[in-house]
Amino acid sequence: MTSDGAVTFWIFLLCLIASPHLKGGVAGRPDELHIGGIFPIAGKGGWQGGQACMPAARLALDDVNKQPNLLPGFKLILHSNDSECEPGLGASVMYNLLYNKPQKLMLLAGCSTVCTTVAEAAKMWNLIVLCYGASSPALSDRKRFPTLFRTHPSATVHNPTRIKLMKKFGWSRVAILQQAEEVFISTVEDLENRCMEAGVEIVTRQSFLSDPTDAVRNLRRQDARIIVGLFYVVAARRVLCEMYKQQLYGRAHVWFFIGWYEDNWYEVNLKAEGITCTVEQMRIAAEGHLTTEALMWNQNNQTTISGMTAEEFRHRLNQALIEEGYDINHDRYPEGYQEAPLAYDAVWSVALAFNKTMERNKSLRDFTYTDKEIADEIYAAMNSTQFLGVSGVVAFSSQGDRIALTQIEQMVNGKYEKLGYYDTQLDNLSWLNTEQWIGGKVPQDRTIVTHVLRTVSLPLFVCMCTISSCGIFVAFALIIFNIWNKHRRVIQSSHPVCNTIMLIGVIICLISVILLGMDGRFVSPEEYPKICQARAWLLSTGFTLAYGAMFSKVWRVHRFTTKAKTDPKKKVEPWKLYTMVSGLLSIDLVILLSWQIFDPLQRYLETFPLEDPVSTTDDIKIRPELEHCESQRNSMWLGLVYGFKGLILVFGLFLAYETRSIKVKQINDSRYVGMSIYNVVVLCLITAPVGMVIASQQDASFAFVALAVIFCCFLSMLLIFVPKVIEVIRHPKDKAESKYNPDSAISKEDEERYQKLVTENEELQRLITQKEEKIRVLRQRLVERGDAKGTELNGATGAAAATVTTTSQPASLINTSAHATPAATLAITQDTHEHRT
């Protein structure tokens, strides 16, 4: 059971208990008709519209009772009390009105929550309830509220107007902020249904009970721009202050507020309600917001049923409010000022309904709370009531709702300016074209995200293309040079066909550099996959041709040096070099064809975080995008290609190192080929991982990869062809090779071996000189001892002579060979060691 239902239940029990005391007809004098009034005046929350509506109702009573043709012989009396817009207190006020004499014929009520309780219970007493200040859509339920009428239009009358404005300004994305009250909950439900029908997206729906801080923050997180706010005026001030703190105002935001707030609602009661924003801050936040409200003041200067115009009524109401202490002259209006005409016309509606009932020969004196017949007559009279009041044409629908136009206003420079009117029944929007937007443009319903494609810098692209074009020109020139001078020995020994293959690979690689810089600036998204596939084919095959030609040369050099029985004069068969290049190219073709057929490269967009534009104040964010070439199994294919290329790179590096000092006449440029392989391997091993890391930086990635390819190509051409060009230029007619041919000079290894042999020979000569000195000393001693010993001297002298003869022979050989070749010196050294042994 809801709180309203519980209140109704207890009121019904009290009714049963007190009913014996109520039977007995109409209390009071016979010429008086009594009605009850429930006015919210002194509460601290909700709508306290009784502050202005009760004086308006009193004015209406005075005017009604002065009409001689209206309720002749009767006087309409109003008995009222304050409900503070609290349903429990409102039920208590109703009970006091009903069970205190005189008996009431009808009830007036204001504030949706109080009207809900009163109208749901009043049917038990066969009482008609007329609400002058209740907009809850729930009150339109005729089954739940069978005796309810209201001069205040339902809050749902605003929703068609809001939808109409959203369509007018092109807003298709809105947010909703509501106070947790039944009137606003049911209004939001109706708004959601209408938004769904109109194709308007509700990005978020936030609600709060008393503190809107978290709800407003959530709106900011959701990037809400068009926001519908549904709350009472006390909560509205808190929301407005929080709007200022969260910066949800200005040229980028539009707020829809309820139009029945007072004109200065955002400036009053700030200290009393604990609002921490200043009046100036509240004004800044309120600027530009829209309001929708049912027309509560007659817009035409017509004389109404009371005999006065709406402006005359406004003047009388202002005087009455001034008498009650309100500072009207300084625009300090009490709450409920906008709804005051509704309360005035409500009293006239009651009088007209009573008058019509009496015309049907029904005596209101005989009405009791159990008299359903007279209650039905009053209901029928009220349902058919129609007149021109100070609030406009007063008429009721079958649900008891007021039929009214909707007025649209905008806060401009601190004042509400009328923008137009909307007739819901005719779907007619009368627009005055007086709206003023901060910044001069209609705010957008979302941050406009502009997708900007990041492309390679045009100067960088032109620079790389120029260098690549120069390289292509040089490569073609070298091909012509290679073919033109193929009869020369310096060209023949380097295998000109293999060199041409390398140059073709260089040309293909340089063309791929141009394709690497071609992006969305030059190519449409539909054609971009073709560029992706062309890049892969050209770069892979170009590398294979250029590097494969060098690899095959260094491989053949390694084969020559590792076979011990190889004939030094055996020639290199060119078909073996071409076969190796063809083999590498075949593997490339298999990988690329499989990639192309089963998982082709496609255009993939990498998105980056939103960025602010540089030179605009519009509500725009930039979403940078970068094109990449990727396939579904991109990592697998890249791993396969990099694995194959990496394997031959590492193997080529090994072969180049092994043959770094070896020269064969069959391939006369093998050392330069090895140097080229060194550079290619190093650059490739650096470029591949670094290029993957900086792939999101289009200029850096393109520049790094392009320069690496260009450097490899130029360096290879420089190392392999410049010596040949110099040789041909120096000897244009002579086929003999000069010092620019590395094989015509002594190699460094041979020079080191020769120096080593010379050093060993000098050491052996020094040792022999020492031995000869010792032999001379021994001979001298033997001569000295010869005189002392005869027989022994002869034997010793003969042995010494034989020794001298033996050891003197190699010395003479060594002396004669002092200027011999290193090979001869080595042979002498070996003979000397044998004699010593």
Side-chain angles (χ1 to χ4, degrees):
M1 181 181 295
T2 63
S3 59
D4 292 342
V7 171
T8 303
F9 174 74
W10 286 108
I11 292 174
F12 182 68
L13 288 181
L14 291 172
C15 171
L16 294 178
I17 295 172
S19 58
H21 304 285
L22 296 174
K23 296 178 180 179
V26 178
R29 288 162 33 181
D31 60 346
E32 292 180 351
L33 300 177
H34 300 273
I35 60 176
I38 305 173
F39 293 88
I41 298 175
K44 294 184 179 180
W47 181 70
Q48 305 302 319
Q51 297 172 7
C53 288
M54 190 161 180
R58 290 172 181 165
L59 291 176
L61 284 172
D62 293 340
D63 293 342
V64 166
N65 290 328
K66 290 177 181 179
Q67 295 292 326
N69 297 326
L70 187 61
L71 299 175
F74 290 89
K75 183 179 181 180
L76 194 60
I77 305 297
L78 175 64
H79 304 268
S80 63
N81 209 336
D82 184 11
S83 69
E84 298 183 7
C85 199
E86 293 289 342
L89 182 58
S92 176
V93 171
M94 182 190 72
Y95 172 76
N96 291 330
L97 289 172
L98 293 180
Y99 294 106
N100 290 323
K101 295 180 180 181
Q103 188 164 332
K104 314 304 183 296
L105 296 174
M106 191 179 291
L107 294 176
L108 297 180
C111 177
S112 293
T113 55
V114 173
C115 284
T116 301
T117 302
V118 171
E120 197 167 20
K123 61 186 178 183
M124 301 176 184
W125 287 271
N126 295 310
L127 282 174
I128 304 299
V129 177
L130 181 57
C131 292
Y132 57 84
S135 61
S136 173
L139 296 174
S140 299
D141 187 353
R142 258 295 175 244
K143 293 182 179 179
R144 184 180 174 188
F145 309 101
T147 62
L148 173 68
F149 292 89
R150 49 181 170 172
T151 56
H152 194 298
S154 171
T156 55
V157 77
H158 301 270
N159 290 336
T161 308
R162 292 171 179 136
I163 297 296
K164 192 70 175 179
L165 291 177
M166 292 173 191
K167 291 182 177 179
K168 175 178 176 59
F169 295 115
W171 297 327
S172 61
R173 181 179 182 269
V174 301
I176 298 174
L177 178 64
Q178 66 167 79
Q179 192 174 4
E181 297 284 353
E182 182 182 11
V183 55
F184 304 124
I185 293 173
S186 53
T187 303
V188 168
E189 291 173 353
D190 178 74
L191 180 60
E192 285 180 331
N193 294 331
R194 293 180 184 273
C195 286
M196 185 178 298
E197 294 173 0
V200 177
E201 175 193 0
I202 297 179
V203 63
T204 183
R205 174 181 173 180
Q206 299 292 325
S207 63
F208 64 93
L209 189 60
S210 58
D211 185 5
T213 302
D214 292 336
V216 175
R217 286 177 181 172
N218 289 335
L219 292 177
R220 181 174 181 82
R221 294 190 190 101
Q222 295 292 333
D223 192 32
R225 300 306 177 93
I226 313 301
I227 307 165
V228 178
L230 300 171
F231 25 72
Y232 288 119
V233 66
V234 175
R237 284 188 276 268
R238 296 186 179 276
V239 170
L240 193 65
C241 182
E242 195 61 34
M243 283 167 49
Y244 180 84
K245 294 177 181 178
Q246 297 298 325
Q247 297 183 346
L248 287 177
Y249 64 91
R251 63 180 180 83
H253 299 85
V254 177
W255 283 80
F256 283 85
F257 284 162
I258 298 173
W260 38 258
Y261 303 156
E262 304 311 314
D263 287 352
N264 63 337
W265 62 270
Y266 55 90
E267 298 177 340
V268 298
N269 300 329
L270 299 185
K271 292 183 179 180
E273 295 173 6
I275 306 299
T276 57
C277 294
T278 64
V279 173
E280 184 61 29
Q281 290 172 342
M282 297 287 278
R283 287 174 182 169
I284 293 173
E287 184 67 21
H289 77 264
L290 301 176
T291 65
T292 58
E293 60 176 321
L295 281 179
M296 300 177 188
W297 293 79
N298 194 333
Q299 302 301 305
N300 299 321
N301 193 25
Q302 297 174 319
T303 302
T304 65
I305 193 172
S306 63
M308 61 179 175
T309 64
E311 283 302 316
E312 292 172 343
F313 167 73
R314 185 189 299 273
H315 179 72
R316 288 182 60 195
L317 177 62
N318 290 346
Q319 291 297 325
L321 293 174
I322 290 173
E323 291 174 2
E324 294 197 11
Y326 293 104
D327 189 8
I328 302 300
N329 294 327
H330 293 87
D331 295 333
R332 302 296 181 182
Y333 296 96
E335 195 164 351
Y337 184 82
Q338 296 295 332
E339 292 80 11
L342 304 180
Y344 182 88
D345 288 342
V347 175
W348 273 90
S349 298
V350 172
L352 292 172
F354 285 170
N355 193 69
K356 189 176 293 188
T357 302
M358 290 189 295
E359 289 176 353
R360 296 175 182 176
N361 299 320
K362 295 295 181 181
S363 175
L364 295 178
R365 292 193 186 97
D366 299 331
F367 175 76
T368 64
Y369 293 144
T370 58
D371 191 343
K372 191 174 187 305
E373 182 181 355
I374 295 180
D376 289 342
E377 289 293 334
I378 297 173
Y379 177 89
M382 180 65 73
N383 196 39
S384 61
T385 297
Q386 184 172 354
F387 64 94
L388 180 61
V390 294
S391 65
V393 177
V394 178
F396 302 101
S397 68
S398 58
Q399 287 81 27
D401 292 338
R402 170 75 177 273
I403 301 173
L405 297 177
T406 306
Q407 176 179 275
I408 303 118
E409 293 183 321
Q410 184 185 35
M411 177 67 71
V412 179
N413 297 324
K415 294 183 179 180
Y416 283 107
E417 299 290 342
K418 292 182 177 62
L419 302 183
Y421 305 94
Y422 180 63
D423 188 341
T424 305
Q425 292 180 321
L426 300 178
D427 189 23
N428 180 39
L429 178 64
S430 300
W431 197 249
L432 304 179
N433 293 317
T434 56
E435 69 273 19
Q436 296 183 30
W437 302 109
I438 301 173
K441 295 177 60 177
V442 177
Q444 300 158 349
D445 61 358
R446 69 197 73 198
T447 300
I448 301 300
V449 178
T450 303
H451 296 269
V452 176
L453 186 65
R454 288 182 174 178
T455 57
V456 175
S457 172
L458 188 59
L460 176 63
F461 176 70
V462 172
C463 180
M464 292 297 110
C465 288
T466 302
I467 298 174
S468 298
S469 300
C470 294
I472 293 171
F473 176 78
V474 171
F476 274 115
L478 290 177
I479 290 175
I480 296 173
F481 169 82
N482 197 51
I483 295 173
W484 187 265
N485 296 283
K486 63 182 179 180
H487 59 282
R488 290 179 174 270
R489 185 156 59 91
V490 68
I491 303 297
Q492 287 180 345
S493 298
S494 65
H495 296 276
V497 176
C498 213
N499 291 339
T500 302
I501 293 174
M502 187 205 78
L503 290 171
I504 292 174
V506 166
I507 292 172
I508 294 175
C509 288
L510 292 174
I511 293 174
S512 71
V513 169
I514 300 175
L515 292 182
L516 286 174
M518 295 186 67
D519 46 29
R521 186 199 301 272
F522 308 102
V523 184
S524 65
E526 293 76 17
E527 298 296 324
Y528 194 77
K530 297 179 182 178
I531 297 296
C532 293
Q533 294 156 10
R535 288 176 185 174
W537 278 86
L538 291 179
L539 190 57
S540 183
T541 55
F543 173 83
T544 299
L545 290 174
Y547 181 80
M550 295 186 291
F551 179 83
S552 62
K553 284 187 178 183
V554 76
W555 166 257
R556 294 309 301 167
V557 171
H558 184 268
R559 293 284 294 170
F560 269 107
T561 58
T562 53
K563 283 191 175 182
K565 296 182 179 181
T566 299
D567 184 4
K569 297 182 180 181
K570 185 178 180 181
K571 294 183 178 181
V572 176
E573 298 181 8
W575 67 269
K576 292 185 179 181
L577 300 177
Y578 310 150
T579 301
M580 178 165 291
V581 176
S582 300
L584 296 176
L585 188 60
S586 299
I587 297 174
D588 249 5
L589 293 177
V590 171
I591 296 175
L592 291 173
L593 279 174
S594 301
W595 195 353
Q596 178 80 23
I597 294 172
F598 299 109
D599 190 15
L601 287 168
Q602 299 295 333
R603 179 176 181 263
Y604 164 74
L605 283 179
E606 178 187 2
T607 58
F608 298 88
L610 292 174
E611 299 177 355
D612 293 321
V614 178
S615 59
T616 181
T617 58
D618 293 337
D619 190 16
I620 296 175
K621 293 286 186 180
I622 295 176
R623 173 76 72 183
E625 296 177 340
L626 183 61
E627 291 174 311
H628 292 288
C629 296
E630 290 190 9
S631 56
Q632 293 183 355
R633 298 179 179 84
N634 199 62
S635 299
M636 181 191 74
W637 295 109
L638 286 179
L640 192 61
V641 172
Y642 286 163
F644 168 60
K645 304 293 184 185
L647 185 63
I648 61 175
L649 282 172
V650 172
F651 192 41
L653 183 64
F654 167 75
L655 295 178
Y657 178 79
E658 286 291 314
T659 59
R660 65 190 183 280
S661 300
I662 299 175
K663 303 305 297 180
V664 293
K665 291 186 178 182
Q666 291 87 340
I667 302 177
N668 64 354
D669 55 359
S670 59
R671 290 185 65 192
Y672 293 127
V673 170
M675 293 173 63
S676 296
I677 288 177
Y678 283 143
N679 291 282
V680 170
V681 171
V682 172
L683 285 173
C684 288
L685 293 180
I686 294 175
T687 304
V690 173
M692 295 178 68
V693 171
I694 63 174
S696 297
Q697 304 174 34
Q698 71 279 6
D699 287 342
S701 177
F702 171 68
F704 190 81
V705 175
L707 287 175
V709 174
I710 290 172
F711 186 75
C712 287
C713 294
F714 273 86
L715 190 62
S716 298
M717 291 188 293
L718 177 69
L719 289 173
I720 295 176
F721 283 95
V722 168
K724 297 177 176 59
V725 172
I726 293 175
E727 176 67 20
V728 171
I729 292 175
R730 289 178 61 86
H731 304 281
K733 296 181 180 180
D734 188 9
K735 295 184 180 180
E737 299 188 17
S738 67
K739 62 180 180 180
Y740 291 100
N741 185 1
D743 291 314
S744 63
I746 299 175
S747 66
K748 182 178 180 181
E749 287 75 10
D750 292 339
E751 181 68 23
E752 291 177 353
R753 190 179 298 110
Y754 173 74
Q755 293 296 334
K756 184 177 181 180
L757 290 175
V758 170
T759 302
E760 290 181 355
N761 188 37
E762 291 176 352
E763 180 65 21
L764 289 174
Q765 288 181 357
R766 185 180 61 79
L767 291 175
I768 292 172
T769 303
Q770 291 177 358
K771 295 296 184 182
E772 288 179 346
E773 180 63 23
K774 288 182 179 181
I775 291 172
R776 187 184 63 77
V777 172
L778 290 175
R779 290 177 61 184
Q780 184 176 357
R781 290 179 180 178
L782 289 175
V783 171
E784 292 175 354
R785 293 181 181 180
D787 296 336
K789 295 181 180 180
T791 306
E792 295 178 0
L793 182 59
N794 291 333
T797 303
T803 302
V804 171
T805 303
T806 303
T807 57
S808 298
Q809 184 178 359
S812 62
L813 289 174
I814 291 172
N815 290 331
T816 59
S817 62
H819 300 285
T821 63
T825 305
L826 180 61
I828 294 170
T829 304
Q830 292 174 349
D831 291 340
T832 303
H833 282 294
E834 290 176 0
H835 284 289
R836 290 175 63 188
T837 303

